[in-house]
Amino acid sequence: QQQVKQSPQSLIVQKGGISIINCAYENTAFDYFPWYQQFPGKGPALLIAIRPDVSEKKEGRFTISFNKSAKQFSLHIMDSQPGDSATYFCAASTYNFNKFYFGSGTKLNVKP
Amino acid sequence: GAVVSQHPSWVICKSGTSVKIECRSLDFQATTMFWYRQFPKQSLMLMATSNEGSKATYEQGVEKDKFLINHASLTLSTLTVTSAHPEDSSFYICSARGTTSKMGTREGYTFGSGTRLTVV
């Protein structure tokens, strides 16, 4: 059973456009929701993370929107650039277990 | 920033042989190491969690006798794939949690760069 569901599987965006990736979860015990960026042949790197006590977190061009009642969260990449082309994973964890459950990933291609 | 060095970055081995993958924390002490497996175009699946000086805890369905994990020091953890078969071909990634106030938090988890294993 997949703990975190992610969509879309792939995304093509024009340079300067907005990229939106969505994730949904069921376990209400999750209290930490990070997004990771992974380039081919590399390990994931933390991009931005949010906790359920806030509805939005912004860092530069990257914003997480969090809807606790709907158990959904999303990543918005504003002014998308070709250098943003990568695979993005959402994840979730509980405090007690301290391990991550990853979404299935979204391959983003930003066209120049 | 914190760095986890993972080697080799890629390896090709013959079926039936064993392969060892190393993850070293370069500038912090890794109290816990997580080992993941990633199939092409799929997500990361946690294989096992190891704490320094203790036996690893394996996730359900992961063969502990096939995937041997050693975490004998605070800076080195190894994953050995024993008697490898083509179905073991995958991308293996480690992730470390450290002892400092930042590295001990979930924000501080640091991933290695991964190892592409191909068994022929």
Side-chain angles (χ1 to χ4, degrees):
Chain A
Q1 180 185 0
Q2 195 167 5
Q3 299 264 4
V4 181
K5 296 182 179 180
Q6 183 172 347
S7 63
Q9 188 174 23
S10 63
L11 182 62
I12 299 175
V13 174
Q14 290 295 127
K15 178 183 176 181
I18 303 174
S19 304
I20 302 175
I21 305 171
N22 301 299
C23 283
Y25 65 96
E26 288 296 327
N27 189 347
T28 55
F30 287 147
D31 71 338
Y32 176 69
F33 302 89
W35 284 91
Y36 286 86
Q37 180 187 56
Q38 184 181 29
F39 292 103
K42 301 295 183 183
L46 178 65
L47 191 62
I48 187 173
I50 197 169
R51 296 183 189 276
D53 52 344
V54 296
S55 60
E56 186 176 281
K57 184 174 182 179
K58 184 177 181 179
E59 290 185 1
R61 296 185 293 110
F62 302 93
T63 300
I64 299 180
S65 296
F66 187 83
N67 186 328
K68 189 174 181 178
S69 61
K71 291 186 284 187
Q72 296 174 349
F73 59 109
S74 60
L75 175 69
H76 293 64
I77 305 175
M78 312 300 286
D79 187 25
S80 299
Q81 299 296 312
D84 296 331
S85 297
T87 298
Y88 292 82
F89 292 96
C90 61
S93 79
T94 63
Y95 176 80
N96 287 340
F97 291 98
N98 242 335
K99 66 180 183 181
F100 294 90
Y101 297 91
F102 286 86
S104 53
T106 297
K107 187 173 183 179
L108 172 65
N109 184 8
V110 181
K111 292 194 172 295
Chain B
V3 176
V4 174
S5 177
Q6 184 170 348
H7 292 281
S9 56
W10 60 271
V11 58
I12 301 174
C13 71
K14 291 185 177 180
S15 186
T17 62
S18 295
V19 173
K20 180 183 283 188
I21 301 169
E22 292 188 351
C23 276
R24 294 180 183 273
S25 54
L26 299 185
D27 48 4
F28 68 99
Q29 294 182 323
T31 52
T32 304
M33 194 72 77
F34 302 88
W35 286 94
Y36 292 87
R37 183 173 181 177
Q38 185 179 29
F39 290 104
K41 299 183 180 180
Q42 294 189 28
S43 189
L44 290 81
M45 299 300 295
L46 181 65
M47 298 174 64
T49 302
S50 71
N51 292 302
E52 184 266 336
S54 303
K55 287 185 177 180
T57 301
Y58 291 81
E59 296 297 301
Q60 191 173 12
V62 177
E63 300 176 59
K64 60 181 181 181
D65 294 331
K66 182 170 187 60
F67 299 99
L68 301 179
I69 292 173
N70 184 288
H71 193 171
S73 79
L74 286 172
T75 59
L76 175 64
S77 178
T78 61
L79 167 67
T80 301
V81 183
T82 62
S83 186
H85 289 95
E87 57 265 31
D88 298 324
S89 298
S90 189
F91 193 58
Y92 293 88
I93 308 175
C94 61
S95 175
R97 183 175 72 185
T99 55
T100 64
S101 58
K102 173 172 171 52
M103 293 307 300
T105 65
R106 286 173 286 187
E107 287 84 351
Y109 282 16
T110 302
F111 285 84
S113 55
T115 297
R116 171 74 60 196
L117 170 63
T118 301
V119 184
V120 298

